[in-house]
């Protein structure tokens, strides 16, 4: 029996290939746009924003290294390359998946630390610390991705034959400890940390809002900004976890029960849904961040010669971590300037 032959109908193979092609193109274009925008405003970036860029790099890496092979295999009705490309594909998927979830976890922790004192003029997270965190994310993901190569866990083809991942069905006995550890450290624990951090941020914003309303009837700019950043961050985290949750449930079923009881068409859907996770982040930035949308529209290579395109040189929102809720009269003019320009600034958060 050829384990790399498609168990789907030819029409479904073609449809899956077309779907992955669209997902790959959207993911590459969207995440490249995030990275290009970040590079153009690198001199105005705050340290926590580097984590957003790092997240775009993980999504772009997954799209570039995985989707072309998956599309070609789907249209060939057979996995191309055999064992070598299967291990490569499984390793790449696991590597970028772990890097993404840990990036989201670190981002949540950093945002929570920043939110502990919104009025502080001091930088709580330095560039050095953020760069070290990014290096740690990639190193952590690499270690987990190499475990199956070293004998703890195993990579193998998916039941429908057109993709490779962790060989869930084969790890019932020889790799069960790996499965438990992987789900504990790379899904359950990160999810708990993310939920706890964003819940804590919401509480901090609420008390900051109540304190400011006791002194005036105007909601401070810092609360508005962080509330918007909180919404974006929560949507990104929910999108990623929501995309991978069905795949995780099907994988657990394959371990705890007989994987042959799951029809190939059913096992295909969670896998395709999980792969769409690389597309959502740029869309969330675009639809929920006015400043990112404005920066995208200012990209000259997207304007096709339109005279409406220009690059903003307005005041950066680097001050978003330094705005005080207790604004004194003599600095009201500067606060008003910050309020008026905040909507014109660019942020990837």
């Amino acid at each position: 029996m050829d384990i790399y032959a498609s168990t789907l109908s030819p029409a479904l193979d073609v449809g899956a290939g077309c779907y992955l092609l669209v997902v790959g193109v959207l993911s590459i274009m969207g995440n490249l746009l995030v990275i290009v925008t970040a590079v153009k405003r690198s001199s105005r970036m705050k340290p926590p924003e580097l984590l957003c860029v790092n997240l775009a790099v993980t999504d772009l890496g997954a799209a570039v290294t995985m989707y072309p092979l998956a599309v070609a295999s789907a249209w060939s009705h057979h996995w191309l390359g055999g064992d070598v490309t299967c291990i490569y594909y499984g390793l790449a998927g696991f590597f970028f998946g772990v890097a993404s979830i840990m990036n989201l976890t670190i981002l949540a922790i950093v945002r929570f630390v920043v939110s502990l004192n919104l009025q502080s003029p001091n930088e709580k997270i330095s560039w050095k610390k953020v760069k070290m965190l990014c290096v740690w994310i990639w190193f952590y993901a690499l270690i987990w991705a190499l475990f199956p190569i070293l004998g703890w866990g195993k990579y193998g083809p998916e039941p429908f034959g057109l993709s490779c991942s962790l060989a869930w069905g084969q790890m019932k006995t020889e790799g069960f400890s790996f499965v438990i550890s992987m789900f504990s450290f790379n899904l359950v624990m990160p999810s708990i940390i993310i939920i706890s951090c964003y819940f804590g941020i919401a509480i901090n914003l609420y008390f900051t809002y109540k304190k400011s309303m006791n002194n005036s009837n105007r909601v401070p700019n810092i609360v508005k900004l962080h509330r918007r950043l909180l919404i974006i961050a929560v949507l990104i985290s929910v999108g990623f976890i929501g995309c991978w949750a069905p795949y995780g449930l099907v994988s657990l079923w394959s371990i705890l029960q007989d994987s042959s009881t799951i029809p190939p068409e059913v096992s295909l859907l969670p896998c395709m849904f999980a792969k769409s996770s690389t597309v959502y982040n740029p869309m969330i930035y675009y639809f929920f961040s006015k400043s990112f949308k404005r920066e995208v529209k200012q990209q000259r290579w997207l304007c096709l010669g339109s005279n409406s395109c220009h690059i903003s040189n307005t005041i950066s929102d680097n001050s978003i971590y330094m705005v005080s809720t207790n604004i004194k009269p003599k600095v009201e003019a500067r606060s008003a300037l910050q309020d008026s320009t905040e909507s014109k600034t660019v942020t990837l958060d």
Side-chain angles (χ1 to χ4, degrees), residues 109-273:
I109 295 173
V110 168
R111 289 196 183 281
F112 177 72
V113 171
V114 171
S115 72
L116 290 177
N117 189 357
L118 300 181
Q119 303 180 51
S120 174
N122 298 322
E123 203 56 78
K124 301 177 184 63
I125 306 294
S126 65
W127 279 107
K128 182 179 179 180
K129 291 179 181 178
V130 173
K131 290 177 181 178
M132 290 178 62
L133 288 173
C134 289
V135 171
W136 178 87
I137 289 170
W138 290 107
F139 181 74
Y140 178 88
L142 180 61
I143 292 298
W144 275 97
L146 289 177
F147 277 146
I149 303 294
L150 300 176
W152 194 34
K154 187 177 182 180
Y155 292 118
E158 299 276 12
F160 51 89
L162 291 179
S163 181
C164 291
S165 180
L166 292 170
W168 303 106
Q170 302 178 34
M171 293 191 294
K172 292 181 179 181
T173 55
E174 54 190 44
F176 192 73
S177 61
F178 171 79
V179 174
I180 297 300
S181 301
M182 190 277 297
F183 271 98
S184 299
F185 290 102
N186 297 313
L187 183 61
V188 177
M189 186 177 69
S191 298
I192 293 175
I193 293 175
I194 290 172
I195 293 172
S196 301
C197 286
Y198 287 135
F199 184 72
I201 293 173
I203 293 176
N204 289 334
L205 288 178
Y206 172 77
F207 282 110
T208 302
Y209 168 79
K210 294 293 291 184
K211 181 179 179 180
S212 64
M213 293 305 289
N214 291 333
N215 300 327
S216 66
N217 293 324
R218 181 175 176 275
V219 180
N221 184 60
I222 190 65
V223 174
K224 294 180 181 178
L225 181 57
H226 276 267
R227 183 172 56 192
R228 186 170 69 251
L229 299 181
L230 174 63
I231 293 174
I232 294 174
V234 169
L235 287 174
I236 291 173
S237 300
V238 170
F240 182 86
I241 296 175
C243 284
W244 282 96
Y247 181 79
L249 293 176
V250 172
S251 301
L252 279 177
W253 179 268
S254 299
I255 296 173
L256 301 178
Q257 302 293 330
D258 187 2
S259 59
S260 62
T261 60
I262 304 177
E265 294 80 6
V266 175
S267 64
L268 171 68
L269 294 177
C271 184
M272 296 295 103
F273 190 47

Side-chain angles (χ1 to χ4, degrees), residues 89-109:
Y89 191 89
L91 186 148
F94 192 33
F95 172 67
F96 287 113
V98 173
S100 294
I101 188 66
M102 294 313 299
N103 200 108
L104 291 172
T105 304
I106 297 299
L107 183 59
I109 295 173

Side-chain angles (χ1 to χ4, degrees), residues 19-145:
Y19 168 82
L20 289 175
L21 179 62
V22 173
V23 168
V25 171
L26 291 177
S27 178
I28 291 173
M29 292 180 60
N31 288 289
L32 267 179
L33 191 57
V34 172
I35 296 172
V36 169
T37 302
V39 171
K40 291 177 70 67
R41 63 179 300 273
S42 57
S43 61
R44 296 176 287 154
M45 282 179 57
K46 296 295 288 183
E49 291 181 89
L50 183 60
L51 291 169
C52 297
V53 180
N54 197 49
L55 184 60
V57 172
T58 62
D59 291 341
L60 179 63
V64 171
T65 60
M66 298 173 61
Y67 295 166
L69 179 58
V71 171
S73 297
W75 288 347
S76 299
H77 312 295
H78 189 280
W79 181 257
L80 302 177
D83 293 339
V84 174
T85 57
C86 184
I87 293 175
Y88 155 78
Y89 191 89
L91 186 148
F94 192 33
F95 172 67
F96 287 113
V98 173
S100 294
I101 188 66
M102 294 313 299
N103 200 108
L104 291 172
T105 304
I106 297 299
L107 183 59
I109 295 173
V110 168
R111 289 196 183 281
F112 177 72
V113 171
V114 171
S115 72
L116 290 177
N117 189 357
L118 300 181
Q119 303 180 51
S120 174
N122 298 322
E123 203 56 78
K124 301 177 184 63
I125 306 294
S126 65
W127 279 107
K128 182 179 179 180
K129 291 179 181 178
V130 173
K131 290 177 181 178
M132 290 178 62
L133 288 173
C134 289
V135 171
W136 178 87
I137 289 170
W138 290 107
F139 181 74
Y140 178 88
L142 180 61
I143 292 298
W144 275 97

Side-chain angles (χ1 to χ4, degrees), residues 327-338:
I327 303 176
K328 297 181 180 180
K330 67 179 181 179
V331 295
E332 284 181 352
R334 182 173 9 177
S335 174
L337 177 61
Q338 289 176 336

